[in-house]
Amino acid sequence: MDYKTIALIGGTGNLGKGLALRWARSSLEIVIGSRYREKAEMVASQLTEIVGRSIIGLTNEEASKIGEIIVLTIPFEGLRQILGNIYPNLDNKIVISTIVAPIDSTKSAGEIVKELTPKSTQVASAFQNIGYKALLDLDADVECDVIVCGDEKAKKICIELAEKISGVRALDGGPIENSRIVENLTHLLIYLSKKYKKKSPCIRLSGI
């Protein structure tokens, strides 16, 4: 890996916290971003205490400036505004979207991120089908396959990051357009979780 710092934009949410803990434990440099610096600093301090490795809290704009890899862990509804705010900081960077578009959306969140970032930005879409509760449980492996769609360089780095999480296997899911399929699986997993009263259902693909 030829990068140093991962910035989690909107990283104070459950998925952001889970990814931050897992990657920090793998000795990666992590920055948590939020609209409010005080909130980011509070969450970063909590995570630092848990993992025993320093995690920094900044605003989304500050985090996106220093992050070499930008991971979007924000709600779909805030996507356009937040990307607009950090757009100048995304040139020649890797952006990873964990966002899930509504089931009736004509485009995936991954495709929208690709459209709203500079042409020099490499975009990947991943981690939609991984349960945050599994990520937060540092005493157990995360038994999940992560399907990664997007630009080739971004996919390669995202696959490396995914497999830093113990128990995860990452698979190349093709171009960003395929993110529509992967994101829609999230809606199915949410239904299954409620139906069968399971906390963190995930996907495992056999035969690969």
Side-chain angles (χ1 to χ4, degrees), residues 150-178:
D151 300 322
E152 291 303 319
K153 182 180 179 181
K155 282 193 297 185
K156 180 180 178 182
I157 289 176
C158 188
I159 286 170
E160 291 176 354
L161 283 175
E163 293 190 339
K164 287 281 186 181
I165 301 170
S166 182
V168 165
R169 179 180 65 159
L171 299 169
D172 185 334
I176 198 68
E177 290 79 11
N178 287 354

mmCIF file of all heavy atoms in Angstrom, residues 150-178:
data_model
loop_
_atom_site.group_PDB
_atom_site.id
_atom_site.type_symbol
_atom_site.label_atom_id
_atom_site.label_comp_id
_atom_site.label_asym_id
_atom_site.label_seq_id
_atom_site.Cartn_x
_atom_site.Cartn_y
_atom_site.Cartn_z
ATOM 1 N N GLY A 150 -16.210 -0.588 -9.235
ATOM 2 C CA GLY A 150 -15.670 0.741 -9.509
ATOM 3 C C GLY A 150 -14.486 0.767 -10.432
ATOM 4 O O GLY A 150 -14.260 -0.152 -11.237
ATOM 5 N N ASP A 151 -13.694 1.843 -10.330
ATOM 6 C CA ASP A 151 -12.495 2.036 -11.143
ATOM 7 C C ASP A 151 -11.392 1.093 -10.672
ATOM 8 O O ASP A 151 -11.316 0.756 -9.483
ATOM 9 C CB ASP A 151 -12.020 3.490 -11.041
ATOM 10 C CG ASP A 151 -13.073 4.483 -11.516
ATOM 11 O OD1 ASP A 151 -13.765 4.184 -12.504
ATOM 12 O OD2 ASP A 151 -13.202 5.557 -10.897
ATOM 13 N N GLU A 152 -10.526 0.703 -11.591
ATOM 14 C CA GLU A 152 -9.576 -0.374 -11.302
ATOM 15 C C GLU A 152 -8.638 -0.064 -10.135
ATOM 16 O O GLU A 152 -8.469 -0.897 -9.245
ATOM 17 C CB GLU A 152 -8.763 -0.703 -12.568
ATOM 18 C CG GLU A 152 -9.565 -1.369 -13.667
ATOM 19 C CD GLU A 152 -10.224 -2.663 -13.202
ATOM 20 O OE1 GLU A 152 -9.583 -3.444 -12.465
ATOM 21 O OE2 GLU A 152 -11.391 -2.887 -13.571
ATOM 22 N N LYS A 153 -8.010 1.106 -10.125
ATOM 23 C CA LYS A 153 -7.082 1.426 -9.031
ATOM 24 C C LYS A 153 -7.816 1.495 -7.703
ATOM 25 O O LYS A 153 -7.334 0.995 -6.681
ATOM 26 C CB LYS A 153 -6.367 2.743 -9.315
ATOM 27 C CG LYS A 153 -5.351 3.118 -8.242
ATOM 28 C CD LYS A 153 -4.649 4.434 -8.568
ATOM 29 C CE LYS A 153 -3.662 4.815 -7.469
ATOM 30 N NZ LYS A 153 -2.996 6.114 -7.774
ATOM 31 N N ALA A 154 -9.000 2.107 -7.729
ATOM 32 C CA ALA A 154 -9.784 2.227 -6.499
ATOM 33 C C ALA A 154 -10.205 0.853 -5.994
ATOM 34 O O ALA A 154 -10.191 0.592 -4.781
ATOM 35 C CB ALA A 154 -10.999 3.109 -6.741
ATOM 36 N N LYS A 155 -10.598 -0.024 -6.907
ATOM 37 C CA LYS A 155 -10.991 -1.380 -6.495
ATOM 38 C C LYS A 155 -9.830 -2.118 -5.846
ATOM 39 O O LYS A 155 -10.004 -2.782 -4.817
ATOM 40 C CB LYS A 155 -11.496 -2.177 -7.705
ATOM 41 C CG LYS A 155 -12.895 -1.864 -8.131
ATOM 42 C CD LYS A 155 -13.447 -2.887 -9.110
ATOM 43 C CE LYS A 155 -12.687 -2.926 -10.413
ATOM 44 N NZ LYS A 155 -13.308 -3.846 -11.392
ATOM 45 N N LYS A 156 -8.664 -1.997 -6.435
ATOM 46 C CA LYS A 156 -7.493 -2.701 -5.890
ATOM 47 C C LYS A 156 -7.210 -2.268 -4.460
ATOM 48 O O LYS A 156 -7.003 -3.095 -3.560
ATOM 49 C CB LYS A 156 -6.269 -2.444 -6.773
ATOM 50 C CG LYS A 156 -5.010 -3.128 -6.279
ATOM 51 C CD LYS A 156 -3.826 -2.829 -7.188
ATOM 52 C CE LYS A 156 -2.557 -3.497 -6.645
ATOM 53 N NZ LYS A 156 -1.368 -3.185 -7.494
ATOM 54 N N ILE A 157 -7.222 -0.962 -4.229
ATOM 55 C CA ILE A 157 -6.941 -0.444 -2.882
ATOM 56 C C ILE A 157 -8.068 -0.814 -1.924
ATOM 57 O O ILE A 157 -7.827 -1.201 -0.769
ATOM 58 C CB ILE A 157 -6.717 1.072 -2.943
ATOM 59 C CG1 ILE A 157 -5.388 1.359 -3.625
ATOM 60 C CG2 ILE A 157 -6.753 1.684 -1.543
ATOM 61 C CD1 ILE A 157 -5.090 2.818 -3.843
ATOM 62 N N CYS A 158 -9.303 -0.728 -2.397
ATOM 63 C CA CYS A 158 -10.447 -1.065 -1.540
ATOM 64 C C CYS A 158 -10.421 -2.536 -1.140
ATOM 65 O O CYS A 158 -10.734 -2.879 0.005
ATOM 66 C CB CYS A 158 -11.747 -0.725 -2.271
ATOM 67 S SG CYS A 158 -13.213 -0.881 -1.242
ATOM 68 N N ILE A 159 -10.044 -3.401 -2.057
ATOM 69 C CA ILE A 159 -9.935 -4.831 -1.745
ATOM 70 C C ILE A 159 -8.862 -5.059 -0.681
ATOM 71 O O ILE A 159 -9.056 -5.826 0.269
ATOM 72 C CB ILE A 159 -9.647 -5.637 -3.026
ATOM 73 C CG1 ILE A 159 -10.917 -5.719 -3.888
ATOM 74 C CG2 ILE A 159 -9.132 -7.036 -2.696
ATOM 75 C CD1 ILE A 159 -10.700 -6.272 -5.282
ATOM 76 N N GLU A 160 -7.737 -4.356 -0.812
ATOM 77 C CA GLU A 160 -6.683 -4.470 0.203
ATOM 78 C C GLU A 160 -7.187 -4.013 1.575
ATOM 79 O O GLU A 160 -6.911 -4.660 2.599
ATOM 80 C CB GLU A 160 -5.471 -3.630 -0.208
ATOM 81 C CG GLU A 160 -4.719 -4.169 -1.408
ATOM 82 C CD GLU A 160 -3.580 -3.256 -1.828
ATOM 83 O OE1 GLU A 160 -3.456 -2.143 -1.258
ATOM 84 O OE2 GLU A 160 -2.826 -3.640 -2.726
ATOM 85 N N LEU A 161 -7.916 -2.919 1.585
ATOM 86 C CA LEU A 161 -8.452 -2.407 2.850
ATOM 87 C C LEU A 161 -9.467 -3.367 3.461
ATOM 88 O O LEU A 161 -9.462 -3.607 4.666
ATOM 89 C CB LEU A 161 -9.112 -1.047 2.626
ATOM 90 C CG LEU A 161 -8.199 0.156 2.466
ATOM 91 C CD1 LEU A 161 -9.014 1.398 2.141
ATOM 92 C CD2 LEU A 161 -7.367 0.382 3.715
ATOM 93 N N ALA A 162 -10.350 -3.892 2.622
ATOM 94 C CA ALA A 162 -11.369 -4.819 3.120
ATOM 95 C C ALA A 162 -10.730 -6.032 3.772
ATOM 96 O O ALA A 162 -11.179 -6.498 4.828
ATOM 97 C CB ALA A 162 -12.294 -5.235 1.987
ATOM 98 N N GLU A 163 -9.672 -6.537 3.169
ATOM 99 C CA GLU A 163 -9.046 -7.752 3.686
ATOM 100 C C GLU A 163 -8.101 -7.473 4.851
ATOM 101 O O GLU A 163 -7.534 -8.406 5.416
ATOM 102 C CB GLU A 163 -8.367 -8.499 2.545
ATOM 103 C CG GLU A 163 -9.421 -9.027 1.559
ATOM 104 C CD GLU A 163 -8.892 -9.970 0.514
ATOM 105 O OE1 GLU A 163 -7.673 -9.963 0.250
ATOM 106 O OE2 GLU A 163 -9.718 -10.728 -0.053
ATOM 107 N N LYS A 164 -7.973 -6.205 5.239
ATOM 108 C CA LYS A 164 -7.329 -5.876 6.509
ATOM 109 C C LYS A 164 -8.245 -6.218 7.690
ATOM 110 O O LYS A 164 -7.788 -6.289 8.830
ATOM 111 C CB LYS A 164 -7.006 -4.380 6.569
ATOM 112 C CG LYS A 164 -5.855 -3.934 5.690
ATOM 113 C CD LYS A 164 -4.530 -4.263 6.313
ATOM 114 C CE LYS A 164 -3.373 -3.694 5.523
ATOM 115 N NZ LYS A 164 -2.065 -4.056 6.132
ATOM 116 N N ILE A 165 -9.526 -6.412 7.394
ATOM 117 C CA ILE A 165 -10.508 -6.742 8.434
ATOM 118 C C ILE A 165 -10.556 -8.259 8.577
ATOM 119 O O ILE A 165 -10.904 -8.971 7.629
ATOM 120 C CB ILE A 165 -11.899 -6.192 8.059
ATOM 121 C CG1 ILE A 165 -11.832 -4.674 7.886
ATOM 122 C CG2 ILE A 165 -12.927 -6.570 9.125
ATOM 123 C CD1 ILE A 165 -13.087 -4.065 7.286
ATOM 124 N N SER A 166 -10.221 -8.744 9.737
ATOM 125 C CA SER A 166 -10.110 -10.183 9.961
ATOM 126 C C SER A 166 -11.424 -10.897 9.654
ATOM 127 O O SER A 166 -12.481 -10.533 10.169
ATOM 128 C CB SER A 166 -9.710 -10.451 11.415
ATOM 129 O OG SER A 166 -9.549 -11.831 11.644
ATOM 130 N N GLY A 167 -11.353 -11.915 8.791
ATOM 131 C CA GLY A 167 -12.519 -12.702 8.419
ATOM 132 C C GLY A 167 -13.148 -12.296 7.103
ATOM 133 O O GLY A 167 -13.921 -13.056 6.515
ATOM 134 N N VAL A 168 -12.825 -11.111 6.608
ATOM 135 C CA VAL A 168 -13.438 -10.603 5.378
ATOM 136 C C VAL A 168 -12.696 -11.128 4.154
ATOM 137 O O VAL A 168 -11.465 -11.168 4.121
ATOM 138 C CB VAL A 168 -13.443 -9.057 5.372
ATOM 139 C CG1 VAL A 168 -13.730 -8.515 3.963
ATOM 140 C CG2 VAL A 168 -14.473 -8.528 6.352
ATOM 141 N N ARG A 169 -13.464 -11.508 3.148
ATOM 142 C CA ARG A 169 -12.920 -11.788 1.822
ATOM 143 C C ARG A 169 -13.507 -10.750 0.868
ATOM 144 O O ARG A 169 -14.717 -10.526 0.854
ATOM 145 C CB ARG A 169 -13.300 -13.193 1.339
ATOM 146 C CG ARG A 169 -12.764 -13.504 -0.058
ATOM 147 C CD ARG A 169 -13.145 -14.892 -0.520
ATOM 148 N NE ARG A 169 -14.594 -15.041 -0.689
ATOM 149 C CZ ARG A 169 -15.157 -15.987 -1.452
ATOM 150 N NH1 ARG A 169 -14.398 -16.873 -2.082
ATOM 151 N NH2 ARG A 169 -16.471 -16.057 -1.547
ATOM 152 N N ALA A 170 -12.653 -10.098 0.085
ATOM 153 C CA ALA A 170 -13.114 -9.073 -0.857
ATOM 154 C C ALA A 170 -13.078 -9.610 -2.274
ATOM 155 O O ALA A 170 -12.142 -10.304 -2.671
ATOM 156 C CB ALA A 170 -12.260 -7.819 -0.737
ATOM 157 N N LEU A 171 -14.117 -9.277 -3.047
ATOM 158 C CA LEU A 171 -14.250 -9.764 -4.414
ATOM 159 C C LEU A 171 -14.441 -8.598 -5.375
ATOM 160 O O LEU A 171 -15.162 -7.646 -5.066
ATOM 161 C CB LEU A 171 -15.451 -10.710 -4.523
ATOM 162 C CG LEU A 171 -15.400 -11.963 -3.653
ATOM 163 C CD1 LEU A 171 -16.752 -12.665 -3.654
ATOM 164 C CD2 LEU A 171 -14.314 -12.909 -4.144
ATOM 165 N N ASP A 172 -13.806 -8.693 -6.536
ATOM 166 C CA ASP A 172 -13.944 -7.683 -7.578
ATOM 167 C C ASP A 172 -15.305 -7.840 -8.236
ATOM 168 O O ASP A 172 -15.575 -8.833 -8.914
ATOM 169 C CB ASP A 172 -12.821 -7.865 -8.604
ATOM 170 C CG ASP A 172 -12.805 -6.775 -9.667
ATOM 171 O OD1 ASP A 172 -13.871 -6.182 -9.948
ATOM 172 O OD2 ASP A 172 -11.726 -6.532 -10.233
ATOM 173 N N GLY A 173 -16.176 -6.836 -8.047
ATOM 174 C CA GLY A 173 -17.535 -6.899 -8.565
ATOM 175 C C GLY A 173 -17.743 -6.181 -9.879
ATOM 176 O O GLY A 173 -18.889 -5.990 -10.303
ATOM 177 N N GLY A 174 -16.640 -5.752 -10.524
ATOM 178 C CA GLY A 174 -16.783 -5.137 -11.828
ATOM 179 C C GLY A 174 -16.937 -3.630 -11.773
ATOM 180 O O GLY A 174 -16.560 -2.980 -10.797
ATOM 181 N N PRO A 175 -17.507 -3.031 -12.830
ATOM 182 C CA PRO A 175 -17.597 -1.564 -12.934
ATOM 183 C C PRO A 175 -18.574 -0.974 -11.938
ATOM 184 O O PRO A 175 -19.371 -1.681 -11.313
ATOM 185 C CB PRO A 175 -18.067 -1.346 -14.375
ATOM 186 C CG PRO A 175 -18.821 -2.591 -14.713
ATOM 187 C CD PRO A 175 -18.095 -3.707 -14.010
ATOM 188 N N ILE A 176 -18.530 0.346 -11.821
ATOM 189 C CA ILE A 176 -19.349 1.044 -10.840
ATOM 190 C C ILE A 176 -20.838 0.793 -11.059
ATOM 191 O O ILE A 176 -21.626 0.816 -10.109
ATOM 192 C CB ILE A 176 -19.023 2.559 -10.851
ATOM 193 C CG1 ILE A 176 -19.523 3.242 -9.574
ATOM 194 C CG2 ILE A 176 -19.558 3.237 -12.108
ATOM 195 C CD1 ILE A 176 -18.821 2.848 -8.318
ATOM 196 N N GLU A 177 -21.250 0.541 -12.301
ATOM 197 C CA GLU A 177 -22.670 0.291 -12.586
ATOM 198 C C GLU A 177 -23.193 -0.925 -11.823
ATOM 199 O O GLU A 177 -24.375 -0.992 -11.482
ATOM 200 C CB GLU A 177 -22.881 0.103 -14.085
ATOM 201 C CG GLU A 177 -22.706 1.360 -14.916
ATOM 202 C CD GLU A 177 -21.252 1.714 -15.189
ATOM 203 O OE1 GLU A 177 -20.368 0.869 -14.905
ATOM 204 O OE2 GLU A 177 -21.009 2.834 -15.675
ATOM 205 N N ASN A 178 -22.320 -1.873 -11.540
ATOM 206 C CA ASN A 178 -22.740 -3.067 -10.809
ATOM 207 C C ASN A 178 -23.057 -2.791 -9.347
ATOM 208 O O ASN A 178 -23.617 -3.635 -8.645
ATOM 209 C CB ASN A 178 -21.670 -4.151 -10.902
ATOM 210 C CG ASN A 178 -21.612 -4.790 -12.272
ATOM 211 O OD1 ASN A 178 -22.444 -4.508 -13.131
ATOM 212 N ND2 ASN A 178 -20.630 -5.648 -12.506
#
